[in-house]
Amino acid sequence: MKKYTIALMMVFFAVASSFQAMAQMGKRTYSNLGWQYNVPIANDFVTHASGYGAYYQGGYYLTPSIAVGGFLSYNTNNQYIPTKTYWFEDGSALTTDLDHSLFQVPFGATFRYRFMRTMFQPYFEAKVGAVYSTQSLYFSTFMSEYSNWGFYVSPELGFTVYPFYKQDFGFHLAIYYSYSTNRNGDFDLNGLNNIGFKLGIAF
Amino acid sequence: MKKFICLGLVAMLALSCYRQPRTQDHDEDYMVYTTPAEAIDFKVFQTYHVPDSLLVAGIEKDPYYVSDKDALSIIETFKGEMENCGYTYVADRSQADLGLQLTYIIFTQYYVEYYDPYWWWYGPGYWSPAYWGDWYGFYYPSAMMYTTSTNMMISNLLDLTAVQGENQRLPVVWNAIMSGPTGSSLKQDLNRLTESIHQAFAQSPYLKR
């Protein structure tokens, strides 16, 4: 029985080692690049989902599990508002249909914890940084735009898969939530909340 | 080094890939904006006068007046709405309490592009590449110019009872602006303009006597 147990353990470690060998054994850096699908939530300005976005994030593993790095992403979310009349305090009124447009460019630092260092690498990541955002109204042939900066935080859960033998190329999938402190009194925006997912490549 | 190149590329993408809304999906009605003068009581006015011509700006070098069938149609629409509000038209402007002046403006903007704007692929009234065969879009090998035009009707109600004199200014007591991109035909633009005039009065209930 003892022999079988030892043999089983040897097989297990051999398989585990082979996974490690396949998955960036000597590489301490990582990069993820791809498409981002974003949904602004909890605001009255734009709540339509949109895939007009992309991301890049990369970092360096200080230990086999913990990495630090940076990120940059962007998203545009547009929402059509059918024709209605807006009444203002001074008695003026505006009748039009319009588009609300929200553009966000967050960037900053990342802290990643990798649960497994195998071909399949799930991770948790925390992002902190700044976000530049514009909020625009398009109506008739006019456009009015406001821009602001905010502090940004975002937890992210995802994984990378390196399916190719001894290759640093793989795939990346993640879901995230983000909050930033951008404010715009004209649109009653008191912070920007988003959820979404990312689909891309890892290298 | 490769990382910095990737980061730079994504930074450039982020700053250049803002996706504007497809404003050609908007309905074809004109935007209507109205605003009254502060603390004005329209019940003190009884009569009004409107000239029998429109001032047209933006087409020729200098503005000019038009009294053709289309201009008169627009003026009649305004007169109908003024009378619905309880005002009486007078032909002698010196006897009127209110003056209504109407200005029609066309803005034309010119653009030069080195590629076909994405919205041309779907824009109403433009040729589709599918008409010629199985093509996705047009390829323009050199710079091309295109224009967009905007209609705007500005109507002002003027308080003709105000004190006149060399240093006196004529008060504008109501403004209405109707604006939108030019349509595919003059008839369509006139219909949209007529609807927008009705809307301008509908959203100005304080004009009722």
Side-chain angles (χ1 to χ4, degrees):
Chain A
M1 185 64 188
K2 195 176 177 183
K3 285 181 183 174
Y4 288 119
T5 304
I6 292 170
L8 201 60
M9 286 177 69
M10 287 175 69
V11 169
F12 173 80
F13 282 118
V15 171
S17 301
S18 69
F19 272 132
Q20 290 196 4
M22 289 166 68
Q24 299 186 304
M25 268 303 287
K27 193 176 174 192
R28 303 190 73 162
T29 59
Y30 72 90
S31 288
N32 305 143
L33 174 71
W35 172 62
Q36 182 164 301
Y37 191 87
N38 187 67
V39 190
I41 55 172
N43 75 79
D44 294 327
F45 185 65
V46 173
T47 53
H48 276 198
S50 166
Y52 301 128
Y55 70 95
Y56 170 81
Q57 54 200 37
Y60 180 82
Y61 278 99
L62 301 172
T63 72
S65 298
I66 296 173
V68 295
F71 75 98
L72 173 70
S73 65
Y74 72 90
N75 260 103
T76 303
N77 292 83
N78 297 327
Q79 185 165 343
Y80 175 70
I81 312 294
T83 296
K84 64 188 256 190
T85 301
Y86 302 86
W87 304 91
F88 304 104
E89 286 179 4
D90 62 355
S92 59
L94 174 68
T95 300
T96 187
D97 59 346
L98 47 81
D99 276 294
H100 289 184
S101 182
L102 175 64
F103 180 55
Q104 300 175 82
V105 186
F107 58 92
T110 62
F111 303 91
R112 176 177 289 201
Y113 180 79
R114 179 168 59 182
F115 296 107
M116 295 162 64
R117 194 184 175 197
T118 61
M119 183 176 72
F120 175 72
Q121 299 185 6
Y123 70 86
F124 171 78
E125 188 167 276
K127 292 182 167 71
V128 292
V131 58
Y132 171 75
S133 175
T134 62
Q135 299 93 43
S136 309
L137 293 178
Y138 291 80
F139 56 100
S140 185
T141 53
F142 302 98
M143 191 266 275
S144 89
E145 182 176 279
Y146 305 80
S147 62
N148 36 58
W149 287 85
F151 176 70
Y152 179 88
V153 290
S154 172
E156 176 177 311
L157 206 54
F159 64 84
T160 49
V161 179
Y162 296 93
F164 307 111
Y165 182 67
K166 288 190 174 178
Q167 295 291 316
D168 287 332
F169 180 80
F171 302 102
H172 175 236
L173 180 67
I175 56 173
Y176 67 89
Y177 163 78
S178 72
Y179 171 76
S180 64
T181 59
N182 301 64
R183 285 178 171 77
N184 185 331
D186 291 321
F187 302 138
D188 289 331
L189 271 179
N190 187 13
L192 294 172
N193 293 275
N194 300 272
I195 55 173
F197 69 87
K198 301 170 176 183
L199 184 61
I201 55 172
F203 54 95
Chain B
M1 187 61 190
K2 274 195 274 185
K3 298 284 187 313
F4 288 113
I5 292 171
C6 285
L7 198 61
L9 285 172
V10 174
M12 283 190 290
L13 275 173
L15 295 174
S16 64
C17 285
Y18 171 54
R19 177 68 154 83
Q20 289 191 331
R22 286 169 46 86
T23 50
Q24 67 270 33
D25 290 341
H26 287 191
D27 67 26
E28 298 198 334
D29 294 338
Y30 282 176
M31 176 209 80
V32 181
Y33 177 68
T34 53
T35 181
E38 192 177 353
I40 186 80
D41 179 11
F42 284 94
K43 290 185 172 57
V44 301
F45 305 112
Q46 294 184 0
T47 58
Y48 78 100
H49 174 82
V50 56
D52 61 357
S53 54
L54 287 182
L55 178 63
V56 176
I59 297 176
E60 304 290 341
K61 183 181 174 192
D62 297 315
Y64 57 95
Y65 292 94
V66 174
S67 302
D68 63 11
K69 176 171 63 72
D70 296 328
L72 292 175
S73 163
I74 292 168
I75 292 167
E76 284 303 315
T77 305
F78 272 101
K79 287 171 82 171
E81 288 291 346
M82 286 297 285
E83 284 172 26
N84 285 342
C85 289
Y87 303 100
T88 305
Y89 173 78
V90 291
D92 182 357
R93 63 176 179 269
S94 67
Q95 300 300 312
D97 297 332
L98 292 169
L100 178 61
Q101 67 182 20
L102 307 173
T103 308
Y104 176 70
I105 301 172
I106 286 191
F107 300 113
T108 300
Q109 292 171 298
Y110 298 89
Y111 301 90
V112 176
E113 293 283 8
Y114 288 87
Y115 60 91
D116 50 330
Y118 65 88
W119 47 263
W120 273 34
W121 302 347
Y122 315 100
Y126 194 70
W127 288 97
S128 163
Y131 175 81
W132 302 105
D134 186 22
W135 283 285
Y136 175 60
F138 292 101
Y139 167 65
Y140 295 89
S142 57
M144 58 173 298
M145 189 175 79
Y146 62 96
T147 65
T148 61
S149 294
T150 302
N151 287 325
M152 182 177 282
M153 170 67 73
I154 300 177
S155 54
N156 308 126
L157 269 180
L158 313 168
D159 179 3
L160 302 181
T161 65
V163 176
Q164 299 187 36
E166 192 177 335
N167 296 319
Q168 301 296 328
R169 300 170 76 179
L170 178 56
V172 177
V173 293
W174 181 69
N175 267 314
I177 297 173
M178 293 141 261
S179 174
T182 52
S184 55
S185 70
L186 178 61
K187 186 179 178 187
Q188 185 197 19
D189 286 344
L190 276 173
N191 288 340
R192 293 193 299 162
L193 191 51
T194 302
E195 289 305 314
S196 67
I197 294 166
H198 294 316
Q199 176 58 38
F201 282 86
Q203 68 187 45
S204 306
Y206 43 79
L207 288 175
K208 291 259 186 195
R209 295 193 68 249

